[in-house]
Coordinates of all heavy atoms in Angstrom, one line a residue:
L290 N 0.9 -1.3 0.0 CA 0.0 0.1 0.0 C 0.8 1.3 0.0 O 0.4 2.4 -0.4 CB -1.0 0.0 1.2 CG -1.9 -1.2 1.4 CD1 -2.6 -1.1 2.6 CD2 -2.8 -1.2 0.2
Y291 N 2.1 1.1 0.3 CA 3.0 2.3 0.5 C 4.1 2.4 -0.6 O 4.3 3.4 -1.2 CB 3.6 2.2 1.9 CG 4.7 3.3 2.1 CD1 4.4 4.6 2.2 CD2 6.0 2.8 2.1 CE1 5.5 5.5 2.4 CE2 7.0 3.8 2.3 CZ 6.8 5.2 2.4 OH 7.7 6.1 2.5
L292 N 4.9 1.3 -0.8 CA 6.0 1.3 -1.7 C 5.7 1.7 -3.1 O 6.5 2.6 -3.6 CB 6.7 0.0 -1.6 CG 7.6 -0.4 -0.5 CD1 8.3 -1.7 -0.6 CD2 8.6 0.7 -0.3
P293 N 4.7 1.3 -3.8 CA 4.5 1.7 -5.2 C 4.3 3.3 -5.2 O 4.8 4.0 -6.1 CB 3.2 1.0 -5.6 CG 3.3 -0.3 -4.8 CD 3.7 0.1 -3.5
G294 N 3.5 3.8 -4.3 CA 3.3 5.3 -4.2 C 4.6 6.0 -4.0 O 4.9 7.1 -4.6
K295 N 5.5 5.5 -3.1 CA 6.7 6.1 -2.7 C 7.6 6.0 -4.0 O 8.3 7.0 -4.4 CB 7.5 5.3 -1.7 CG 8.8 5.8 -1.4 CD 9.4 5.0 -0.2 CE 10.8 5.4 0.2 NZ 11.8 4.9 -0.9
M296 N 7.6 4.9 -4.8 CA 8.4 4.8 -6.0 C 7.9 5.9 -7.1 O 8.7 6.4 -7.8 CB 8.4 3.4 -6.6 CG 9.0 2.4 -5.6 SD 8.8 0.7 -6.0 CE 9.7 0.4 -7.4
S297 N 6.6 6.0 -7.1 CA 6.0 6.9 -8.1 C 6.4 8.4 -7.8 O 6.8 9.1 -8.6 CB 4.5 6.8 -8.1 OG 3.9 7.8 -9.0
R298 N 6.4 8.7 -6.5 CA 6.8 10.1 -6.0 C 8.3 10.3 -6.4 O 8.7 11.5 -6.8 CB 6.4 10.3 -4.6 CG 5.0 10.4 -4.3 CD 4.8 10.8 -2.9 NE 5.2 9.8 -1.9 CZ 4.5 8.8 -1.4 NH1 3.2 8.5 -1.9 NH2 5.0 8.0 -0.6
E299 N 9.1 9.3 -6.1 CA 10.5 9.5 -6.4 C 10.9 9.7 -7.8 O 11.8 10.4 -8.3 CB 11.2 8.2 -5.9 CG 11.4 8.1 -4.4 CD 11.9 6.8 -3.9 OE1 12.1 5.9 -4.7 OE2 12.3 6.8 -2.6
A300 N 10.1 8.9 -8.7 CA 10.2 9.1 -10.2 C 9.9 10.6 -10.6 O 10.6 11.1 -11.4 CB 9.3 8.1 -10.9
L301 N 8.8 11.0 -10.1 CA 8.3 12.3 -10.5 C 9.3 13.4 -10.0 O 9.7 14.3 -10.7 CB 7.0 12.6 -9.8 CG 6.5 14.1 -10.1 CD1 6.3 14.3 -11.6 CD2 5.1 14.2 -9.4
N302 N 9.9 13.2 -8.8 CA 10.9 14.2 -8.2 C 12.1 14.1 -9.1 O 12.8 15.1 -9.3 CB 11.2 13.8 -6.8 CG 10.0 14.1 -5.8 OD1 9.2 14.9 -6.2 ND2 10.0 13.5 -4.7
R303 N 12.5 12.9 -9.5 CA 13.7 12.7 -10.3 C 13.5 13.4 -11.7 O 14.5 14.1 -12.2 CB 14.0 11.3 -10.5 CG 15.4 11.0 -11.3 CD 15.8 9.6 -11.2 NE 17.0 9.3 -12.0 CZ 17.6 8.1 -12.0 NH1 16.9 7.1 -11.4 NH2 18.7 7.9 -12.6
I304 N 12.4 13.4 -12.2 CA 12.1 14.0 -13.5 C 12.2 15.5 -13.3 O 12.7 16.3 -14.1 CB 10.7 13.6 -14.1 CG1 10.6 12.1 -14.5 CG2 10.3 14.4 -15.2 CD1 9.3 11.5 -14.9
L305 N 11.4 16.0 -12.3 CA 11.3 17.4 -12.2 C 12.7 18.1 -11.7 O 13.1 19.2 -12.1 CB 10.3 17.9 -11.1 CG 8.8 17.5 -11.4 CD1 7.9 17.8 -10.3 CD2 8.4 18.2 -12.7
L306 N 13.5 17.3 -11.1 CA 14.9 17.8 -10.7 C 15.7 17.9 -11.9 O 16.5 18.9 -11.9 CB 15.5 16.7 -9.7 CG 16.9 17.0 -9.2 CD1 16.8 18.3 -8.3 CD2 17.5 15.9 -8.4
T307 N 15.6 17.1 -12.9 CA 16.5 17.2 -14.1 C 15.9 18.0 -15.2 O 16.6 18.5 -16.0 CB 16.8 15.8 -14.6 OG1 15.6 15.1 -14.8 CG2 17.7 15.0 -13.6
K308 N 14.5 18.0 -15.3 CA 13.8 18.7 -16.4 C 12.9 19.8 -16.1 O 12.3 20.4 -17.0 CB 13.1 17.6 -17.2 CG 13.8 16.5 -17.7 CD 14.7 16.9 -18.9 CE 15.4 15.8 -19.4 NZ 16.3 16.2 -20.6
G309 N 12.7 20.2 -14.8 CA 11.7 21.1 -14.3 C 12.2 22.5 -14.2 O 11.4 23.3 -13.7
G310 N 13.3 22.8 -14.6 CA 13.8 24.2 -14.6 C 13.4 25.0 -15.7 O 12.7 24.5 -16.6
P311 N 13.8 26.3 -15.7 CA 13.4 27.3 -16.8 C 13.9 26.7 -18.1 O 15.0 26.1 -18.2 CB 14.1 28.6 -16.4 CG 14.2 28.5 -14.9 CD 14.5 26.9 -14.6
P312 N 13.2 26.9 -19.2 CA 12.0 27.6 -19.4 C 10.7 26.7 -19.2 O 9.7 27.1 -19.5 CB 12.0 28.0 -20.8 CG 12.8 26.9 -21.5 CD 13.7 26.5 -20.5
L313 N 10.9 25.5 -18.7 CA 9.7 24.5 -18.5 C 9.3 24.7 -17.1 O 9.9 24.0 -16.2 CB 10.2 23.1 -18.8 CG 10.9 22.8 -20.3 CD1 11.3 21.4 -20.3 CD2 9.9 23.2 -21.3
Y314 N 8.2 25.3 -16.8 CA 7.7 25.6 -15.6 C 6.5 24.6 -15.2 O 6.4 24.3 -14.0 CB 7.3 27.1 -15.3 CG 8.5 28.0 -15.4 CD1 8.7 28.7 -16.6 CD2 9.3 28.1 -14.3 CE1 9.8 29.6 -16.6 CE2 10.3 29.0 -14.3 CZ 10.6 29.7 -15.5 OH 11.7 30.6 -15.5
S315 N 5.7 24.3 -16.1 CA 4.5 23.5 -15.8 C 4.8 22.0 -16.1 O 5.6 21.6 -16.9 CB 3.3 23.9 -16.7 OG 3.5 23.7 -18.0
L316 N 4.1 21.2 -15.4 CA 4.2 19.7 -15.6 C 3.9 19.3 -17.1 O 4.6 18.4 -17.7 CB 3.4 18.9 -14.7 CG 3.6 17.4 -14.7 CD1 4.9 17.0 -14.4 CD2 2.6 16.7 -13.7
T317 N 2.9 19.9 -17.8 CA 2.6 19.7 -19.1 C 3.7 20.0 -20.0 O 4.0 19.2 -20.9 CB 1.3 20.5 -19.5 OG1 0.3 20.2 -18.6 CG2 0.9 20.1 -20.9
E318 N 4.4 21.1 -19.8 CA 5.5 21.5 -20.6 C 6.7 20.4 -20.4 O 7.3 20.1 -21.4 CB 6.0 22.9 -20.3 CG 5.0 23.9 -20.7 CD 5.5 25.3 -20.3 OE1 6.2 25.4 -19.1 OE2 5.3 26.3 -20.9
V319 N 6.9 20.1 -19.2 CA 8.0 19.0 -19.0 C 7.7 17.8 -19.6 O 8.5 17.1 -20.3 CB 8.1 18.9 -17.5 CG1 9.1 17.6 -17.1 CG2 8.6 20.1 -16.8

């Protein structure tokens, strides 16, 4: 009940960490 959600959050954080900077501000743009 916990681990898949944790892995999902970690994946999103990893994506935003590498791709979420300017000029891509919104998740849709990323």
Side-chain angles (χ1 to χ4, degrees):
L290 302 177
Y291 170 72
L292 280 184
K295 176 177 179 289
M296 296 166 75
S297 176
R298 292 189 295 273
E299 289 175 346
L301 178 59
N302 290 337
R303 185 170 181 178
I304 291 171
L305 294 178
L306 182 65
T307 57
K308 298 293 184 179
L313 305 176
Y314 293 100
S315 71
L316 184 58
T317 302
E318 292 175 324
V319 172

